[in-house]
Amino acid sequence: MEKARTNIMVCGGTGCLASESEKVMKNLQLIAKARGYADEVEIIQTGCFGFCEQGPIVKIEPDNVFYVRVGPKDAKEIIDEHIIKGRRVERLLYKEPNEDKTINKQEDMPFYKKQLRVALRNCGLINPEDIYEYIAVGGYEALGKAISEMTREEVVEAVKDSGLRGRGGGGFPTGLKWEITKKQESDVKFMICNADEGDPGAFMDRSILEGDPHSVLEAMTIGGYVIGADKGIIYIRAEYPLAISRLRTAIEQAREAGLLGKNIFGTDFSFDIDLKFGAGAFVCGEETALINSCEGKRGEPNYKPPYPAQEGYWGHPTCVNNVETFANIPPIITRGAEWYASMGTEKSKGTKVFALAGKINNVGLVEVPMGITLREIIYDIGGGIQGGRKFKAVQTGGPSGGVLTENELDTPIDYDSLRERGSMMGSGGMIVMDETDNMVNVAKFYLEFTMDESCGRCTPCRIGTKRMFELLEKISDGKGTMADIDALKQLSYMIKGSSLCGLGQTAPNPVLSTLKHFPDEYMKLIKDVDTPTNNDHAKNKVKVNA
Amino acid sequence: MKIKSLDELRKIKEESMEKVKLRQHGQGATEHIEVLIGMATCGISSGARETLNAFMKELGDENLDNVKVIPVGCIGYCHSEPTVQVNIPGETPVLYGNVKENKVHNIIEKHIKGGEPVKNMIINVDFERA
């Protein structure tokens, strides 16, 4: 193979294999041999290119030409045209779904650009206090299209087909939530926007509301049309005064333009939006607690079921979606579900906004296609670790998530793969830690947060987190024993299993995940106590091979 | 004015388009230069309001009435706030980082009046918009 001048890479990922990429490869080999080019081209089966929707993928190097949806029958043309005559096979090149131009180089494809702004498309581009600027970039067209050209069922189908999942972190399919609420029989329904962003280190919802408030209003109105609500509520924490003031301006302008209020776009559909302010309690991001708070009660969660879709705000069917989820809706309606579903991974479609914070050079707000790796986010976009220090861990999902370590830097990020690794997507906060950070302190920080934020309604969460925090303090003071570590673990599982809502069920996660990944740092603190002594009553003390 | 139909909305879109076209592609019908200032929480807390005031004052003092100053949301480069984007018709928009008020004069002199971007302050935009 010394003479080989061209490499043909054929995707051998599961997705492509399922669509006959094996045959494509075999045919390419046969034809190359028949034409006498067997020595000049090397045909290689590669791993997944990540663009499974367009598979099988064939890439030609060094020309860097990217063919999509290649069938076994196309092998002949690729060899005869591309390899022998040096001409590209135009019909196999990737076409951008919306612009009718073909793209032949991998780096020119938006899919492979590191960042792609969908939810943040207008942030930093338009004046958020001028509705005409929003209209100029295509704003309110999705609403117009939905209510005057589409049926409610068609809109639900579009959102379902797009594969959009709740961006607040739970990852529940948005289209399904809309469908369930739509199906409820009730004259009164509500559409609620959850803008109670409580995760330490997360600020994407605030940025969307500050930079592009109309996109949320537009999407809520579309949602209202679908589920059959005439009233929307934005539940926003009072700590976001700038976002509140821009929302107020936006609501006023939309009412003036007839895009909120009675008979929108001259149809018989009416919808209006009010703001409700939260006092900034973490638990109020949980939908049942949020609804209680909206009603003026204490922000405490309820047992589910009944789900808010069945019995929500004042007992009426209510659909609660997060800010970022809403921001994705208008482009799905105008550009189509297929376009949206072409981005991301098999089960997590589209893009996700991450708030990069911590010991990273480029602290900021990034929006990337799902399936990108942590390494790409931290090093390529985030510019690596501050001061040239070593990466240690990254906390995703705030206090409900866990730490991911160096071993997991190449994991593609989506809802399921993060959960498999003991963390979660959460709302998208990403706090990067370097070698100087102490993991016991990290766990303590998050636990103190959840302990303070516990609403106190259920015992495991109210007392359990307090006891866990005490144990952690004891350990970090150098007074802990192995028995304390065991107690910590036991308490963790007990709290996870018996708490009423997500806050308690996830509160022990930072402790469990730091214990799992960095046991040495805990052991270091309790080492002294564990040196074997002749002290008989120290039954709990176990010898550690630290 | 109430918008009664999708066609009406599209007409308004056409009319409003000129406002925003310049920002994405450097084309616009008017000869206005635009200065976009990131005015989200991150921007304001690192001094974007002072930067905005400095622009307004200096542009006013110099009688540069072909320049519009527009507050916008967070562009994502929180590490380099305040961020300022300068759009000159016919040219690719330029994004500046760390534009404290003392840097405003330089941008107005060199870029807005002189047409030469201030190279050492430029951030390269690395994202696509849908």
Side-chain angles (χ1 to χ4, degrees):
Chain A
M1 284 288 180
E2 280 134 16
K3 284 194 289 173
R5 61 175 171 96
T6 308
N7 285 343
I8 303 180
M9 334 280 276
V10 184
C11 179
T14 312
C16 284
L17 282 177
S19 33
E20 300 194 302
S21 82
E22 193 94 294
K23 259 194 197 155
V24 172
M25 189 162 143
K26 206 163 269 168
N27 285 2
L28 283 169
Q29 275 162 343
L30 285 174
I31 295 162
K33 202 171 166 200
R35 302 282 192 271
Y37 277 76
D39 287 346
E40 281 192 55
V41 291
E42 193 168 356
I43 297 164
I44 303 156
Q45 189 171 45
T46 67
C48 181
F49 281 89
F51 204 20
C52 313
E53 198 261 342
Q54 292 281 337
I57 308 279
V58 170
K59 195 180 168 195
I60 317 261
E61 294 280 18
D63 313 16
N64 197 12
V65 169
F66 202 81
Y67 291 131
V68 295
R69 299 212 165 135
V70 183
K73 284 183 191 152
D74 300 322
K76 189 164 160 281
E77 206 170 336
I78 290 179
I79 299 286
D80 287 351
E81 285 293 306
H82 192 122
I83 303 298
I84 300 180
K85 295 179 192 155
R87 291 192 289 230
R88 287 193 185 118
V89 188
E90 290 290 330
R91 66 181 179 87
L92 294 176
L93 293 173
Y94 175 68
K95 278 198 191 63
E96 256 295 86
N98 288 286
E99 302 150 49
D100 225 3
K101 65 175 191 220
T102 53
I103 293 179
N104 39 45
K105 293 212 169 127
Q106 188 177 343
E107 61 261 33
D108 294 342
M109 292 169 44
F111 181 81
Y112 284 104
K113 282 249 177 188
K114 292 271 148 92
Q115 278 205 67
L116 176 63
R117 308 201 130 199
V118 179
L120 298 176
R121 64 198 176 280
N122 299 326
C123 286
L125 179 73
I126 60 166
N127 180 349
E129 300 188 356
D130 182 350
I131 190 172
Y132 291 107
E133 293 210 354
Y134 181 64
I135 293 175
V137 293
Y140 288 106
E141 247 181 288
L143 174 63
K145 187 177 168 192
I147 65 176
S148 52
E149 291 173 359
M150 293 168 85
T151 63
R152 296 162 64 195
E153 288 72 25
E154 280 167 348
V155 182
V156 165
E157 280 311 309
V159 178
K160 272 167 91 179
D161 292 346
S162 73
L164 177 66
R165 292 169 68 173
R167 295 293 189 249
F172 191 81
T174 307
L176 192 59
K177 204 180 220 179
W178 285 19
E179 189 176 45
I180 295 168
T181 325
K182 174 177 170 288
K183 279 189 181 150
Q184 304 298 318
E185 281 182 29
S186 169
D187 291 339
V188 185
K189 293 182 189 176
F190 293 97
M191 195 79 206
I192 292 186
C193 171
N194 182 350
D196 187 84
E197 191 172 40
D199 273 22
F203 48 90
M204 58 284 297
D205 292 350
R206 190 193 68 211
S207 298
I208 292 171
L209 293 171
E210 286 174 357
D212 192 17
H214 282 286
S215 69
V216 176
L217 304 185
E218 181 182 7
M220 285 180 73
T221 315
I222 295 171
Y225 165 72
V226 169
I227 65 167
D230 59 1
K231 188 136 182 11
I233 293 165
I234 300 176
Y235 183 84
I236 181 166
R237 46 178 54 213
E239 289 149 42
Y240 281 178
L242 186 60
I244 291 172
S245 100
R246 295 214 172 129
L247 271 172
R248 279 196 171 130
T249 311
I251 290 174
E252 251 164 58
Q253 288 176 348
R255 280 182 191 148
E256 237 159 72
L259 299 166
L260 276 180
K262 289 217 154 45
N263 304 103
I264 297 169
F265 277 108
T267 64
D268 52 9
F269 171 63
S270 304
F271 189 80
D272 209 343
I273 295 174
D274 272 342
L275 299 179
K276 292 239 182 225
F277 307 119
F282 185 55
V283 73
C284 289
E286 202 279 340
E287 50 185 10
T288 58
L290 184 153
I291 289 169
N292 279 332
S293 175
C294 275
E295 292 173 356
K297 300 182 196 139
R298 288 178 69 137
E300 290 175 343
N302 292 347
Y303 292 98
K304 291 199 264 190
Y307 291 93
Q310 302 159 306
E311 257 177 61
Y313 188 55
W314 297 120
H316 302 292
T318 303
C319 179
V320 185
N321 290 126
N322 162 267
V323 173
E324 191 189 331
T325 316
F326 278 125
N328 279 298
I329 297 283
I332 289 175
I333 303 296
T334 45
R335 305 188 65 165
E338 205 178 302
W339 162 76
Y340 196 80
S342 75
M343 301 174 290
T345 64
E346 197 194 337
K347 286 186 181 154
S348 303
K349 299 294 186 192
T351 58
K352 175 80 189 95
V353 184
F354 290 101
L356 275 179
K359 305 283 180 60
I360 193 160
N361 279 320
N362 302 338
V363 168
L365 204 59
V366 306
E367 181 168 355
V368 289
M370 296 270 193
I372 192 172
T373 64
L374 274 173
R375 191 186 297 281
E376 285 173 285
I377 294 184
I378 293 170
Y379 288 93
D380 298 345
I381 301 173
I385 310 296
Q386 280 173 8
R389 284 188 292 270
K390 217 170 146 267
F391 167 81
K392 186 167 188 179
V394 54
Q395 174 89 12
T396 66
S400 312
V403 294
L404 295 167
T405 60
E406 211 174 347
N407 296 335
E408 281 128 348
L409 276 178
D410 292 310
T411 327
I413 298 178
D414 61 32
Y415 289 99
D416 311 297
S417 66
L418 288 183
R419 195 160 293 161
E420 271 166 33
R421 284 162 183 82
S423 184
M424 61 181 271
M425 181 83 82
S427 56
M430 232 180 222
I431 298 180
V432 179
M433 289 165 265
D434 70 14
E435 52 191 336
T436 62
D437 288 307
N438 179 290
M439 288 300 155
V440 183
N441 284 340
V442 169
K444 228 170 82 178
F445 166 79
Y446 282 108
L447 208 73
E448 187 170 13
F449 178 83
T450 40
M451 178 181 79
D452 284 346
E453 293 287 347
S454 171
C455 76
R457 183 163 177 201
C458 68
T459 320
C461 177
R462 179 181 68 243
I463 299 175
T465 53
K466 172 84 178 147
R467 292 290 167 264
M468 280 183 78
F469 182 71
E470 287 166 359
L471 285 169
L472 279 173
E473 260 194 327
K474 193 177 164 196
I475 292 168
S476 64
D477 284 349
K479 294 175 188 151
T481 64
M482 272 316 280
D484 293 327
I485 299 274
D486 289 342
L488 209 49
K489 281 187 188 162
Q490 229 178 0
L491 259 174
S492 292
Y493 292 115
M494 194 271 291
I495 296 168
K496 272 172 87 83
S498 56
S499 287
L500 178 60
C501 80
L503 192 151
Q505 284 156 13
T506 59
N509 282 354
V511 176
L512 287 174
S513 95
T514 48
L515 259 174
K516 181 179 158 208
H517 293 296
F518 301 96
D520 293 357
E521 297 196 14
Y522 284 87
M523 294 312 156
K524 225 193 252 163
L525 291 165
I526 55 173
K527 208 149 118 196
D528 297 345
V529 196
D530 289 310
T531 39
T533 61
N534 293 325
N535 195 346
D536 266 349
H537 64 255
K539 273 185 195 158
N540 288 331
K541 294 175 187 170
V542 181
K543 190 185 171 188
V544 195
N545 301 317
Chain B
M1 191 201 71
K2 304 256 185 215
I3 300 169
K4 287 274 177 247
S5 69
L6 198 50
D7 288 334
E8 252 181 71
L9 178 84
R10 291 199 172 121
K11 226 160 81 203
I12 294 175
K13 180 185 173 184
E14 291 299 319
E15 289 160 11
S16 314
M17 203 97 115
E18 301 305 339
K19 277 185 163 179
V20 183
K21 244 186 186 165
L22 172 66
R23 285 172 219 171
Q24 281 172 307
H25 313 293
Q27 330 164 319
T30 57
E31 285 305 298
H32 271 111
I33 295 176
E34 287 181 349
V35 177
L36 308 187
I37 301 185
M39 293 283 278
T41 298
C42 50
I44 292 172
S45 66
S46 39
R49 190 157 274 145
E50 286 73 23
T51 305
L52 179 114
N53 290 339
F55 266 108
M56 299 297 268
K57 181 165 187 307
E58 186 159 346
L59 292 171
D61 289 350
E62 303 237 0
N63 279 326
L64 292 169
D65 48 14
N66 64 330
V67 185
K68 276 196 260 180
V69 178
I70 300 159
V72 297
C74 175
I75 201 160
Y77 299 99
C78 310
H79 51 89
S80 300
E81 289 288 356
T83 49
V84 169
Q85 187 178 326
V86 176
N87 305 325
I88 297 182
E91 287 170 29
T92 321
V94 175
L95 182 70
Y96 293 112
N98 297 313
V99 187
K100 304 277 182 200
E101 49 186 327
N102 59 359
K103 309 261 179 77
V104 169
H105 178 70
N106 207 3
I107 294 179
I108 292 181
E109 279 301 310
K110 285 208 182 117
H111 195 170
I112 294 177
K113 285 165 76 180
E116 268 305 301
V118 189
K119 288 222 176 64
N120 60 352
M121 287 166 65
I122 295 179
I123 319 179
N124 288 317
V125 175
D126 65 354
F127 57 77
E128 288 270 291
R129 287 180 195 274

